[in-house]
Amino acid sequence: MTTNMSEAPAAAPAATAPATADRPRSRLARLRRLQALQIIIILLGIAAIFSILSPDTFLTTFNLRGILMNTSILAVLGVGMTFVIITGGIDLSVGSVLVFSGVVADKAMVVMGGQGWGTAAAGALVATASGLGWGLLNGVLVAKAKVPPFIVTLGTLGMALGLAQVITHGIDLRDAPAVLVDNIGFGDVVGHVPRLSVIAAVVVILGILLLHRTRFGLHTYAIGSNPEAGRRVGLDVNGQLIKIYALSGLLAGFAGILNLAFFQSTTIGGQSATSLNVIAGVVISGTSLFGGCGSVFGSTIGVLIPSTLQNGFVILGVQPFWQQVVVGAVLVAAVYIDQVRRAAYLRGTKPKLGAALSRLAGRSAPPARQ
């Protein structure tokens, strides 16, 4: 009887420890759900305003299809950007990498000749490979050379766009095969559902699974929350960062071939605001610029906001330049709100962060220093 009584108190802390360690993650999950709900409400509010101001134009099937198609390319870029920003980094080069990938894909398809699926597939392969190359360059410079992500991707932004202009002499290329334009750029799966949007949806679903259902995604969150704690529990932080920037570059390259199919042009001068729109959509959705928090689904809803604003302004006859004013202002407000929310969150959970990271890695945390 005495032995049993002495063992009872010792079992209680062991039973409550997992709940205590899981509490920061459960709070963070609730925060993510709240942020996703907020961005959906904001999007619905914007749509309601444009619907009231232009009821005969905005809610038409043709117009909604156009918004969906314009958002598809941003959504593909947003998947990669979400991973990057969760680590506390940034990728300013996605717009330029998109242009460069479209240029080299166009050149490759011209060399191959023909208008069939073989030529289109080769162009897609070249585009994704070139995007992967730029992403690997960004990742190596950030992870190995320790150059700040802002500086690295700002430099590759100029390099990729400059090389695209050198190759084309500043003139847009328009040599996409007809099969690519007719089937991917403007084709429908069923009814009025564009094939381009279905492809983007597949990329988004794969991104959601990768981020939320794999060890790769768990390690991404861990590095964004505390890279030093990640190193202490055995994570390959540098290797993970290289893979994440490579993923962002690969998706930018893939978006390049989709952009070529949709616009039937390399749009060299039309991607200046792409990076801003993608970053704004991702951050507005609740993905924190400080790292450790975000979701692919939220980013997909977030990138709908710049596309909806642009579409609504065009319908109302407002200069499209105002779109960038509104998006920029909302981005600043979103970052400020995120900073305030994150500071309040960390005040309550910071002492337990190390335990949560250890559980993510599946290993025990090193003993704390006295």
Side-chain angles (χ1 to χ4, degrees):
M1 179 67 67
T2 304
T3 303
N4 292 337
M5 293 180 59
S6 63
E7 290 177 352
T16 58
T20 302
D22 285 340
R23 195 174 302 145
R25 286 198 292 173
S26 63
R27 290 178 181 175
L28 188 58
R30 289 196 298 270
L31 179 62
R32 291 181 192 137
R33 288 194 294 269
L34 176 61
Q35 290 170 337
L37 178 61
Q38 289 172 343
I39 195 62
I40 291 175
I41 293 174
I42 292 173
L43 178 61
L44 292 176
I46 294 173
I49 292 173
F50 287 132
S51 300
I52 294 171
L53 295 177
S54 183
D56 298 331
T57 307
F58 185 79
L59 286 180
T60 62
T61 301
F62 176 80
N63 188 60
L64 294 178
R65 183 179 186 275
I67 294 176
L68 193 61
M69 293 186 71
N70 287 329
T71 306
S72 298
I73 295 174
L74 295 181
V76 172
L77 296 173
V79 173
M81 187 68 72
T82 301
F83 280 84
V84 171
I85 294 182
I86 286 176
T87 66
I90 198 77
D91 190 351
L92 302 174
S93 67
V94 290
S96 296
V97 171
L98 179 153
V99 171
F100 178 86
S101 300
V103 167
V104 295
D106 188 286
K107 288 290 188 180
M109 289 186 290
V110 168
V111 171
M112 289 190 63
Q115 295 290 320
W117 281 111
T119 301
L125 182 61
V126 170
T128 53
S130 62
L132 177 62
W134 284 106
L136 286 172
L137 177 62
N138 286 336
V140 169
L141 291 176
V142 169
K144 298 294 187 180
K146 305 301 181 184
V147 182
F150 181 89
I151 300 301
V152 170
T153 58
L154 182 63
T156 52
L157 178 155
M159 292 166 61
L161 183 59
L163 286 175
Q165 291 171 329
V166 168
I167 295 171
T168 63
H169 304 289
I171 301 174
D172 280 320
L173 304 179
R174 306 176 185 273
D175 304 305
V179 67
L180 185 65
V181 174
D182 295 339
N183 290 276
I184 303 300
F186 294 95
D188 293 326
V189 175
V190 59
H192 296 284
V193 179
R195 187 172 281 109
L196 183 69
S197 299
V198 172
I199 294 173
V202 171
V203 174
V204 168
I205 292 172
L206 292 176
I208 291 174
L209 295 176
L210 182 63
L211 182 61
H212 300 288
R213 292 291 183 268
T214 68
R215 187 172 291 272
F216 183 89
L218 293 177
H219 291 175
T220 300
Y221 280 119
I223 291 173
S225 298
N226 193 327
E228 182 57 33
R231 289 189 180 91
R232 286 172 178 259
V233 297
L235 299 185
D236 182 9
V237 174
N238 290 341
Q240 183 75 8
L241 286 175
I242 292 174
K243 293 175 185 176
I244 289 171
Y245 280 93
L247 174 64
S248 180
L250 183 145
L251 291 176
F254 183 64
I257 196 68
L258 297 181
N259 182 77
L260 187 60
F262 181 55
F263 291 102
Q264 306 176 58
S265 168
T266 50
T267 61
I268 295 176
Q271 302 294 335
S272 58
T274 298
S275 296
L276 172 63
N277 288 336
V278 174
I279 294 171
V282 172
V283 174
I284 290 170
S285 71
T287 301
S288 175
L289 280 173
F290 303 98
C293 179
S295 72
V296 172
F297 174 76
S299 297
T300 304
I301 302 300
V303 295
L304 274 167
I305 290 181
S307 296
T308 305
L309 286 173
Q310 182 181 26
N311 180 271
F313 286 158
V314 170
I315 290 175
L316 297 178
V318 179
Q319 288 184 336
F321 307 110
W322 281 105
Q323 176 208 355
Q324 299 306 320
V325 175
V326 175
V327 170
V330 173
L331 175 60
V332 173
V335 173
Y336 172 74
I337 293 172
D338 174 62
Q339 186 174 2
V340 173
R341 183 190 292 119
R342 188 175 181 84
Y345 169 76
L346 289 178
R347 280 197 296 269
T349 61
K350 188 174 180 180
K352 304 170 185 176
L353 185 58
L357 287 174
S358 299
R359 288 179 59 81
L360 285 177
R363 299 177 58 174
S364 59
R369 295 182 179 180
Q370 300 295 328

